[in-house]
């Protein structure tokens, strides 16, 4: 049996690891030495489970679609992460990491955010748990994502606009890392996806793995077997996908399809199709596939969906693609928009733009009539209404 999980050195195949400056070494070491001890302890599990149930609203339903299934000639279930408190899967991870921070004796939480979704999830949990919360955000993003900035402030977080460089996510990451290295004694850095130096990708994957734990149980209830033929999810950094596939990684009966953001086309300048066109490189502290120009410089990603607009990909997913365990589809903006309108009109569910990429991947697959598909609807589309309206 192949093992697609992280190894003792922090690698998934050739991807992952911890490529960090000396100033961060002690922060990352402290986290690596403590995370499994804490999150595997019965007390942590108990508190985490309770909050997921009573605060987030888990388990999220596994919903058998009607017209969507008919269209594709098979059974398509949606894993409804859109129904979670705050509207997406990100809250699962934020709760887990803030609980971990408290148990490690930290009192101050920092995070960075691009579109603002991870910032809002983190600020929400900090309000709940009475933790100080500072969110770094590029000044351009602060202006573009005004509503999320106001939500974070209302929740009691301090949003610090970053004015270096292109004033977006990359600079916000640098600012958060700088803060962490200077304040590691009392500060915990909450990362929002399966990215960053080891052990973050593994930590986030484990916290999100509740998604596939539930899929197993719910598949048993609905179908009398605990696995589907296909699992489909979108990938920005890869956390909702990691949660969806976690308990099925070594089960080769289950095909894995990952939908990345093709933007205006993977062969154009405007894309975030990292796995399709990326080359080996190091980004934000780990080895992965990175979108690069001829000189090996990182290329600016583009996607209509802010949550998928990332020039790298989690090391777990880079490895799954390289080993052929997962199939990757690059979905264009137009394909995602069409899938969003279709789901809205046929099932009465307005999906997040990110999730719409996973929905559009259905059109790339030829299903058999007895196939069972589970597709993770990572979030709801309220935040994307403006984009939907201007593309109608
Ligand atoms: C942030 C976000 C994503 C992308 O992040 P992953 O870590 O790849 O899951 C996908 N969907 C929604 C709704 C998001 O908010």
């Amino acid at each position: 049996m192949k093992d697609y999980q992280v190894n003792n050195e922090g690698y998934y195949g050739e991807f992952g690891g911890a490529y960090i400056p000396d100033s961060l070494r002690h922060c990352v070491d402290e986290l690596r030495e403590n995370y499994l001890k804490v999150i595997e302890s019965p007390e942590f599990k108990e508190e985490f489970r309770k909050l997921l149930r009573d605060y987030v609203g888990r388990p999220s339903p596994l919903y058998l679609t009607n017209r969507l299934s008919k269209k594709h000639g098979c059974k398509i279930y949606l894993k409804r992460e859109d129904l979670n408190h705050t509207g997406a899967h990100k809250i699962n991870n934020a709760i887990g990491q803030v609980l971990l921070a408290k148990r490690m004796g930290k009192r101050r939480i920092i995070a960075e955010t691009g579109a603002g979704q991870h910032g809002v999830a983190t600020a929400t949990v900090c309000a709940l748990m009475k933790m100080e919360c500072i969110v770094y955000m590029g000044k351009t993003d602060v202006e573009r994502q005004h509503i999320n900035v106001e939500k974070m402030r209302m929740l009691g977080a301090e949003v610090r606009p970053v004015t270096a460089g292109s004033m977006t996510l990359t600079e916000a990451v640098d600012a958060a890392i700088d803060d962490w290295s200077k304040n590691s004694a009392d500060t915990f850095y909450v990362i929002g996806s399966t990215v960053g130096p080891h052990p973050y990708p593994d930590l986030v994957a484990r916290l999100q793995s509740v998604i596939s734990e539930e899929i197993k149980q719910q598949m048993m209830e609905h179908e009398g077997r605990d696995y589907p033929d296909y699992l489909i999810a979108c990938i920005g950094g890869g956390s909702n996908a990691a949660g969806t596939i976690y308990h099925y990684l070594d089960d080769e009966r289950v095909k894995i399809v990952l939908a990345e953001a093709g933007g205006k086309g993977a062969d154009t300048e405007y894309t975030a199709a990292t796995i399709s066109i990326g080359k080996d490189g190091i980004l934000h502290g780990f080895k992965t596939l990175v979108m690069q120009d001829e000189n090996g410089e990182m290329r600016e990603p583009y996607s209509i969906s802010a949550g998928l607009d990332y020039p790298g990909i989690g090391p777990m997913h880079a490895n799954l693609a390289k080993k052929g365990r997962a199939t990757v589809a690059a979905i264009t903006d137009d394909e995602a928009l069409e899938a969003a309108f279709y789901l809205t009109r046929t099932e009465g569910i307005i999906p997040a733009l990110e999730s719409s990429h996973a929905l559009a991947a259905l059109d790339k697959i030829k299903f058999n009539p007895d196939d069972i598909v589970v597709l993770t609807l990572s979030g709801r589309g309220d935040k994307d209404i403006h984009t939907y309206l201007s593309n109608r």
Side-chain angles (χ1 to χ4, degrees):
M1 192 162 82
K2 291 212 184 78
D3 190 354
Y4 297 104
Q5 294 288 3
V6 73
N7 68 18
N8 288 333
E9 284 74 49
Y11 283 85
Y12 298 84
E14 65 196 78
F15 302 107
Y19 296 79
I20 48 174
D22 286 340
S23 58
L24 275 188
R25 187 66 57 185
H26 63 288
C27 311
V28 172
D29 284 350
E30 189 191 11
L31 181 63
R32 196 191 59 238
E33 283 157 18
N34 284 287
Y35 83 109
L36 286 179
K37 248 186 297 189
V38 174
I39 69 173
E40 292 298 319
S41 71
E43 302 78 39
F44 177 94
K45 284 185 173 174
E46 171 74 13
E47 194 173 358
F48 187 41
R49 249 164 228 283
K50 255 195 198 142
L51 285 166
L52 289 180
R53 187 189 65 199
D54 302 336
Y55 188 71
V56 176
R58 304 203 72 94
S60 63
L62 187 70
Y63 164 65
L64 176 58
T65 58
N66 181 18
R67 287 157 73 189
L68 187 67
S69 293
K70 287 209 180 85
K71 179 187 180 197
H72 291 278
C74 62
K75 270 184 169 174
I76 300 174
Y77 286 92
L78 299 179
K79 181 62 175 156
R80 300 288 308 274
E81 295 299 300
D82 60 314
L83 295 176
N84 292 341
H85 178 46
T86 69
H89 65 291
K90 286 196 172 74
I91 191 82
N92 305 327
N93 171 58
I95 290 179
Q97 286 196 47
V98 176
L99 282 179
L100 171 59
K102 283 181 87 165
R103 281 172 164 72
M104 286 175 63
K106 312 293 181 184
R107 49 156 211 95
R108 186 173 172 271
I109 297 294
I110 59 170
E112 96 293 308
T113 193
Q117 296 303 112
H118 171 56
V120 170
T122 305
T124 298
V125 181
C126 287
L128 175 71
M129 298 191 192
K130 204 165 176 288
M131 297 282 265
E132 184 181 346
C133 181
I134 290 142
V135 180
Y136 291 95
M137 195 169 180
K139 187 163 168 285
T140 308
D141 290 332
V142 169
E143 285 155 13
R144 282 195 294 210
Q145 309 290 343
H146 189 65
I147 298 274
N148 278 340
V149 172
E150 292 310 324
K151 281 189 191 171
M152 286 184 266
R153 290 184 173 143
M154 186 167 171
L155 287 158
E158 181 193 335
V159 179
R160 290 195 185 160
V162 179
T163 54
S166 65
M167 303 196 272
T168 58
L169 183 64
T170 306
E171 292 78 20
V173 173
D174 293 340
I177 285 175
D178 185 54
D179 181 320
W180 197 28
S181 67
K182 288 178 180 144
N183 300 295
S184 64
D186 67 350
T187 299
F188 189 101
Y189 179 18
V190 175
I191 291 187
S193 190
T194 42
V195 297
H198 177 67
Y200 277 106
D202 185 47
L203 169 62
V204 177
R206 284 170 186 266
L207 295 173
Q208 292 288 3
S209 71
V210 63
I211 299 173
S212 54
E213 203 179 301
E214 291 174 3
I215 291 173
K216 281 203 148 181
Q217 281 172 6
Q218 292 168 323
M219 275 292 301
M220 202 65 202
E221 285 160 25
H222 285 278
E223 296 289 342
R225 65 182 230 205
D226 72 353
Y227 67 97
D229 298 293
Y230 287 88
L231 285 170
I232 306 180
C234 67
I235 45 171
S239 69
N240 86 87
T244 301
I245 63 184
Y246 192 87
H247 292 291
Y248 293 106
L249 280 173
D250 292 321
D251 186 345
E252 307 265 356
R253 293 173 300 186
V254 183
K255 299 177 194 74
I256 297 171
V257 179
L258 305 174
E260 63 178 4
K264 297 193 188 301
D267 54 353
T268 70
E269 256 182 85
Y270 300 95
T271 185
T274 310
I275 296 184
S276 301
I277 65 161
K279 297 197 181 69
D280 291 11
I282 289 170
L283 179 73
H284 299 151
F286 65 110
K287 195 185 267 184
T288 188
L289 297 169
V290 184
M291 296 205 323
Q292 303 172 30
D293 62 18
E294 316 77 72
N295 305 318
E297 298 286 332
M298 189 195 89
R299 261 176 65 177
E300 281 298 321
Y302 162 83
S303 165
I304 192 171
S305 152
L308 303 184
D309 195 352
Y310 185 65
I313 177 65
M316 175 199 275
H317 312 71
N319 183 49
L320 293 174
K322 179 129 194 180
K323 299 264 165 72
R325 175 70 185 95
T327 314
V328 179
I331 303 299
T332 65
D333 292 354
D334 289 344
E335 290 168 334
L337 286 167
E338 195 185 318
F341 282 100
Y342 185 83
L343 189 78
T344 303
R345 289 296 174 88
T346 57
E347 301 287 344
I349 299 169
I350 303 177
L353 258 169
E354 293 85 357
S355 320
S356 306
H357 287 70
L359 290 163
L362 290 167
D363 290 325
K364 312 277 177 191
I365 306 165
K366 176 126 185 46
F367 296 106
N368 293 320
D370 56 357
D371 278 340
I372 298 175
V373 179
V374 173
L375 184 150
T376 295
L377 206 69
S378 54
R380 68 177 80 125
D382 305 36
K383 67 186 179 57
D384 300 312
I385 295 298
H386 186 76
T387 310
Y388 288 144
L389 290 182
S390 55
N391 286 282
R392 189 157 49 181

